[in-house]
């Protein structure tokens, strides 16, 4: 039999297996936008929503590995709500897929059991938790507009909006800070909104707006079981001049729940309660409509415990601070010599030295650990009120990650903040228990592979084959 005949026969057999799987499971199988979506009946009928935190990423899949081979494996972990297999234009798989389970615990168990699983003799797959980013950043918005005005205007052009986060100006609470975050019902809705807004200029009330993915929250991914034992709440968007005692009095007045400890830092605070029940009572009260949180424009959520990597980061910062201080002393000793060589050449300020050292540290780290390169850029905000640092980490023509920082008063501060955040994010992606992922020569997938098909805005190291 010729190669063409063998390929045709293989394709027919695969089609038969897929049809048999559909008859057995009653799942819907639909191909769209570079992917094939296998969906559970209750989801397809709209009887069940796709939950957050229950999706996993499967990488290093054989190029001829399809749903008929993956689904029996995934079903062993628990109820599978959806399987999205990424395809190229020829119909072959792109070597990775996303699986959504009915519960985050099942997703966590799947990662533990399937990461490194030998799906075929000599072929092991990689499995990690997928981070489904559902939030977009809107920069350069009119500072006089309120939350209700943003919701009314944005819902005219975008679908799936669940909330809009507006942060009051630190000095005038009648104004916002010139940027907002828009939350969507799921990652796909956010991706579709971003795709709709990105091609041309986005105008709101005659203001040109910058739109991009919101940065993932920093820190370790926290186990859901651990989060269910947390007894502290995180409150932000507080007025800078509001006293710590005042915050405590307001919360107690509106909840009647005693506070064990409260610590206010700038515009946010951590509130500790005696037990989980007390903290949940406060959370339930604060999440009701017309609560003090809504009236004040605050934002409240469960506080995240400090993870092991955070402790290591703090130790690393101390070491780097000591090293930087030595560099600064050396620089001072050489400053006179530089002045003599060229009196017309201005010496670098302390701020210059700090942000350049941070950028250099990041560049060296990326080169050493990923054999990649950093591209640095500083963008001036449209209303000229500040600057945003932008960093792209790329390996050859492949983008590993793209980061855009918070608005800062100066270029130096913008690049400093961006460099620190990227360094934190990359180091957090180096788990001690799977260092081998970074020793293998695999291309790293981009943070934004395809906004249309709903690929999470996070890169998965070492899990996409070249």
């Amino acid at each position: 039999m010729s190669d063409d005949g063998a390929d045709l026969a293989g394709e027919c057999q695969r089609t038969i297996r897929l049809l048999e799987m559909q008859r057995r499971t009653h799942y819907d199988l639909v191909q769209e936008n570079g992917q094939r979506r296998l969906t559970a009946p209750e989801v397809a009928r709209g009887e069940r929503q796709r939950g957050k935190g229950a999706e996993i990423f499967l990488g290093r899949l054989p190029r001829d590995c399809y749903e008929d081979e993956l689904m029996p494996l995934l079903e062993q972990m628990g109820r599978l709500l959806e399987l999205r297999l990424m395809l190229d234009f020829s119909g072959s798989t792109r070597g990775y897929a996303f699986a959504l389970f009915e519960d985050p615990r099942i997703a966590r168990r799947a990662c533990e059991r399937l990461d490194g699983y030998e799906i075929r003799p000599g072929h092991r797959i990689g499995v990690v938790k997928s981070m489904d980013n559902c939030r977009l950043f809107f920069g350069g918005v009119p500072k006089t507009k309120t939350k209700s005005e943003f919701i009314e205007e944005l819902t005219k052009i975008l679908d799936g909006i669940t909330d809009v986060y507006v942060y009051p100006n630190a000095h005038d609470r009648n104004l916002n800070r010139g940027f907002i975050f828009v939350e969507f019902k799921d990652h796909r809705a956010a991706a579709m909104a971003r795709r709709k807004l990105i091609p041309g200029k986005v105008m709101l009330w005659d203001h040109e707006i910058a739109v991009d993915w919101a940065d993932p929250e920093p820190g370790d991914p926290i186990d859901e079981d651990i989060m269910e034992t947390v007894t502290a709440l995180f409150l932000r968007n507080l007025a800078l001049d509001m006293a710590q005692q005042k915050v405590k009095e307001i919360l107690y007045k509106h909840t009647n729940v005693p506070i064990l400890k409260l610590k206010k830092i700038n515009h946010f605070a951590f509130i500790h309660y005696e037990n989980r029940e007390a903290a949940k009572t406060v959370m339930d009260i604060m999440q009701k409509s017309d609560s003090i949180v809504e009236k004040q424009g605050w934002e409240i959520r469960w506080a995240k415990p400090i993870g092991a990597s955070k402790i290591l980061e703090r130790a690393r910062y101390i070491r780097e601070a000591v090293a930087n201080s030595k560099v600064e002393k050396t620089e001072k000793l050489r400053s006179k010599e530089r002045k003599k060589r060229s009196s017309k050449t201005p010496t670098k300020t302390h701020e210059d030295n700090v942000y350049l050292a941070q950028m250099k540290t990041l560049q060296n780290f990326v080169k050493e650990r990923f054999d990649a390169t950093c591209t640095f850029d500083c963008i001036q905000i449209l209303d000229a009120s500040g600057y945003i640092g932008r960093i792209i980490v790329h390996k050859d023509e492949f983008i590993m990650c793209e980061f855009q920082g918070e608005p800062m008063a100066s270029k130096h501060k913008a690049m400093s903040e961006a460099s620190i955040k990227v360094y934190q994010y990359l180091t957090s992606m180096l788990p001690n228990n799977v260092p081998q992922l970074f020793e293998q020569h695999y291309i790293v997938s981009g943070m934004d592979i395809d906004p249309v098909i709903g690929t999470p805005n996070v890169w998965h190291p070492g899990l996409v084959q070249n």
Side-chain angles (χ1 to χ4, degrees), residues 200-443:
K201 295 181 179 179
V202 184
M203 302 297 293
L204 288 179
W205 298 287
D206 298 324
H207 279 65
E208 188 174 337
I209 310 301
V211 180
D212 206 345
W213 288 107
D215 298 320
E217 291 190 18
D220 298 331
I222 307 298
D223 188 288
E224 287 83 0
D225 292 335
I226 294 177
M227 284 302 298
E228 290 180 0
T229 66
V230 170
T231 60
L233 302 178
F234 176 72
L235 185 66
R236 68 179 172 190
N237 216 15
L238 301 170
L240 292 176
D241 58 354
M242 180 176 285
Q244 180 170 290
Q245 184 60 30
K246 182 66 175 178
V247 179
K248 191 173 184 178
E249 291 173 358
I250 292 175
L251 291 174
Y252 182 73
K253 177 182 177 181
H254 288 84
T255 63
N256 290 321
V257 178
I259 296 173
L260 194 63
K261 183 176 67 173
L262 187 147
K263 178 64 175 178
K264 181 177 183 288
I265 308 170
N266 295 326
H267 62 277
F268 60 89
F270 292 94
I271 310 103
H272 298 263
Y273 291 92
E274 185 174 355
N275 51 52
R276 174 73 177 191
E277 291 70 27
K280 190 175 187 311
T281 298
V282 174
M283 177 65 85
D284 292 341
I285 293 173
M286 292 302 181
Q287 288 183 330
K288 292 180 179 178
S289 60
D290 205 34
S291 68
I292 185 64
V293 166
E294 185 174 300
K295 291 178 180 178
Q296 293 286 341
W298 297 344
E299 185 180 343
I300 191 166
R301 63 181 61 185
W302 290 102
K304 287 187 177 181
I306 297 177
S309 68
K310 192 69 175 178
I311 297 172
L312 294 174
E313 281 178 13
R314 290 179 177 178
R316 183 172 62 252
Y317 293 154
I318 293 173
R319 292 195 300 269
E320 290 175 356
V322 172
N324 287 337
S325 66
K326 293 179 179 178
V327 171
E328 291 170 14
K329 289 179 180 179
T330 304
E331 186 66 27
K332 288 179 180 179
L333 293 175
R334 295 175 178 174
S335 62
K336 292 182 179 180
E337 183 179 345
R338 288 199 301 269
K339 288 181 180 179
K340 290 179 180 179
R341 287 198 302 264
S342 177
S343 59
K344 295 182 180 180
T345 303
T347 57
K348 294 177 181 176
T349 64
H350 170 75
E351 191 176 12
D352 286 330
N353 292 329
V354 171
Y355 98 91
L356 289 173
Q358 290 166 336
M359 291 169 64
K360 184 65 174 177
T361 299
L362 175 62
Q363 183 73 275
N364 292 340
F365 172 76
V366 167
K367 177 65 177 175
E368 178 184 347
R369 300 308 299 266
F370 305 106
D371 191 26
T373 306
C374 290
T375 299
F376 299 91
D377 189 18
C378 193
I379 306 169
Q380 186 172 11
I381 299 176
L382 298 176
D383 59 5
S385 61
Y387 299 86
I388 293 176
R390 185 166 179 263
I391 299 176
I392 300 175
V393 180
H394 51 89
K395 184 181 178 68
D396 300 325
E397 70 271 25
F398 295 92
I399 296 177
M400 291 175 58
C401 69
E402 182 175 348
F403 176 86
Q404 186 166 290
E406 298 287 347
M408 292 292 169
S410 69
K411 294 181 179 179
H412 295 170
K413 290 181 179 179
M415 295 311 302
S416 174
E417 186 260 357
S419 298
I420 292 173
K421 288 294 180 62
V422 173
Y423 187 81
Q424 291 175 344
Y425 182 71
L426 292 179
T427 53
S428 71
M429 297 298 291
L430 295 172
N432 295 329
N433 58 336
V434 286
Q436 66 274 15
L437 289 181
F438 298 90
E439 295 170 2
Q440 302 177 24
H441 299 289
Y442 291 101
I443 300 301

